[in-house]
Amino acid sequence: MLIDSHAHTSDTKFDEDRQTVIDRAFNNGLKYIIEVGCEPPFWDKVAELSKQEKIYSMFGLHPQDADKFNDELLTKLKILLNDKKCVAVGEIGLDYHFEGYSKDLQKEIFAKQINLALEINKPICVHCRDAYDDMVEIFKTFKQLPKGVIHCFSGSFEQAKVVLNMGFLIGIDGPCTYPKSSKLTNVIENVPLDKLLVETDCPYLAPQKYRGTRNEPSYVIEVAKKIAEIKHLAFDEVCNVITKNTIDLYNL
């Protein structure tokens, strides 16, 4: 059994067949889906989805929405984070890929949400795109950090070692299956299996087998297969260890 530790089935791309997609995931052996609410307009939909037996949630403010942060939003976020099905604060972080966003504001709101996770004693799920050094510098400002995962990791093994030493796990997604993924292959080869999670980030980043189509939770199996191939391990062993990692991180 596997857990898709990072899904966005609340996305509008699933509006026509959302429940079919969710049912297909569980029919294919997934144990749980962790649904991510990182955009305020989708928070209520994520909360509703997490009422299903095998779906958990996390809530946070995506870095590209940092300018939406205000007291009213924070009040609602705190309510959602205290729901019994909510397992983490996320996804939160930094994203410097696109222009037009304030880096200083992103850093400020990221730090505030880390503090929030510490207050409520929940892990964090971190989005980091083209902002690795600033992410690490923010982490260094904290005497204590929450547990967490660097979602959809795209850095080098040297960068992975830094965040591993800070107590974070590494989230592996569909790009590990792409032909030009040598850097990520090196990360998977060298990071211990008990430090990895598998994710889809659906509807984005479909594995190579389904590339160009909408990603969905059941496709997380392809990510686990690739990890098993790269690490020369049995598929069942990979599933067992990574599922335990996810359960331990998110207290499932």
Side-chain angles (χ1 to χ4, degrees), residues 167-235:
F168 291 99
L169 302 184
I170 301 294
I172 303 296
D173 299 57
C176 75
T177 66
Y178 299 167
K180 297 181 180 179
S181 62
S182 57
K183 185 167 69 170
L184 192 49
T185 296
N186 186 52
V187 169
I188 293 169
E189 284 175 338
N190 290 286
V191 172
L193 186 61
D194 65 359
K195 300 299 181 183
L196 297 178
L197 299 188
V198 289
E199 315 171 328
T200 59
D201 201 22
C202 67
Y204 314 105
L205 302 176
Q208 184 66 27
K209 183 177 178 180
Y210 304 101
R211 199 167 181 180
T213 68
R214 181 191 66 180
N215 200 3
E216 62 177 74
S218 61
Y219 297 172
V220 78
I221 293 167
E222 297 301 316
V223 179
K225 285 180 179 177
K226 190 64 177 181
I227 292 173
E229 176 188 322
I230 291 170
K231 296 183 85 66
H232 305 290
L233 296 171
F235 175 70

Side-chain angles (χ1 to χ4, degrees), residues 120-174:
I120 63 174
N121 193 30
K122 286 189 176 178
I124 58 175
C125 175
V126 180
H127 173 108
C128 180
R129 193 176 187 193
D130 300 338
Y132 179 87
D133 290 341
D134 279 0
M135 175 188 71
V136 170
E137 287 307 308
I138 288 172
F139 289 156
K140 288 179 179 177
T141 65
F142 287 84
K143 291 182 179 179
Q144 177 189 357
L145 283 166
K147 296 190 298 181
V149 59
I150 309 302
H151 153 64
C152 195
F153 190 80
S154 60
S156 66
F157 175 57
E158 292 302 315
Q159 291 173 321
K161 285 195 292 186
V162 174
V163 291
L164 287 168
N165 287 337
M166 290 179 162
F168 291 99
L169 302 184
I170 301 294
I172 303 296
D173 299 57

Side-chain angles (χ1 to χ4, degrees), residues 112-124:
K112 283 184 176 181
Q113 292 183 95
I114 295 174
N115 274 314
L116 182 56
L118 289 168
E119 288 173 18
I120 63 174
N121 193 30
K122 286 189 176 178
I124 58 175

Side-chain angles (χ1 to χ4, degrees), residues 18-59:
R18 181 172 292 108
Q19 195 58 50
T20 299
V21 167
I22 290 169
D23 292 343
R24 180 158 54 237
F26 295 131
N27 289 336
N28 277 278
L30 264 67
K31 186 177 182 67
Y32 303 123
I33 295 171
I34 300 178
E35 181 70 17
V36 179
C38 58
E39 299 172 86
F42 290 90
W43 282 354
D44 289 340
K45 189 183 289 188
V46 170
E48 186 64 28
L49 282 169
S50 71
K51 292 178 181 178
Q52 296 191 40
E53 183 180 359
K54 298 180 181 180
I55 299 180
Y56 290 86
S57 63
M58 65 174 73
F59 296 95

